[in-house]
Amino acid sequence: MAPTASQADEDGSPVFGVKMPVGYRQWELIAPSHEAGDFNELRGILGNSIAMAAYREGTLPFPDGAILAKLAWKREPSSEFPGAFVPGHATTVQIMVKDSKRYASTGGWGFGRFVGGKPVDRAQHETCFGCHDAHVKNHDIVFTRFAP
Ligand code: HEC
């Protein structure tokens, strides 16, 4: 399948063919999050304009064209101020693309997980839908809520 104009010319994810979207770093913040366990990460979840309009209007399910991006960094103590924590090196970028026809068998969402801009293996992509579907089926399988 040919890449669309909104997608970077990079490898797509296995299973879903999801690519890193162009310009995602300029998207609006939906919410930050923190993984205090083994990952010990700070994260920021961003949405494109279609996703942000859906958040503002409380539209569920998310409309086709909505894209969510989760950026993650190692959580590092600040060297400049005790007790403050800052993002260390970037670990992963994860993408969810809404296309209710193409991804009908996975809740209408296509998934992509990228390390250093390259998609990870098929086995990891086979886990995405199951976990999201098990926990947040009532929110169109999206965990992140708009930060107040
Ligand atoms: C074991 C459970 C689990 C698996 C497997 C999983 N996720 Fe998630 N995902 C979460 C949780 C919990 C959050 C929200 C908190 C956070 O991590 O920031 C999340 C958040 C996200 C978000 C931000 C939108 C949202 O739903 O909040 C994206 C994008 C995302 N995941 C993509 C993926 C991709 C791509 C894969 C597969 C490669 C994947 N996830 C696999 C648990 C999971």
Side-chain angles (χ1 to χ4, degrees), residues 30 82 114:
I30 303 164
F114 302 85

Side-chain angles (χ1 to χ4, degrees), residues 33 43 45 68 70 94-96 111-113 124 127-128 131-132 141-144:
S33 72
R43 297 158 174 186
I45 295 93
L68 306 173
K70 173 170 135 181
Q94 301 198 88
I95 304 292
M96 288 171 65
F111 294 84
R113 178 172 210 257
Q124 289 189 52
T127 68
C128 315
C131 183
H132 279 242
I141 74 167
V142 172
F143 283 96
T144 304

Side-chain angles (χ1 to χ4, degrees), residues 13 16 18 30-35 39 41-46 55 62 67-72 93-97 109-114 120-136 139-145:
S13 62
F16 301 101
V18 164
I30 303 164
S33 72
H34 174 212
E35 220 298 332
F39 288 108
E41 285 179 348
L42 299 173
R43 297 158 174 186
I45 295 93
L46 314 179
Y55 269 103
F62 286 85
I67 310 180
L68 306 173
K70 173 170 135 181
L71 282 50
V93 173
Q94 301 198 88
I95 304 292
M96 288 171 65
V97 176
W109 290 99
F111 294 84
R113 178 172 210 257
F114 302 85
V120 300
D121 63 20
R122 169 172 285 267
Q124 289 189 52
H125 283 88
E126 283 166 351
T127 68
C128 315
F129 171 69
C131 183
H132 279 242
D133 188 57
H135 293 89
V136 281
H139 192 248
D140 198 19
I141 74 167
V142 172
F143 283 96
T144 304
R145 309 306 206 267

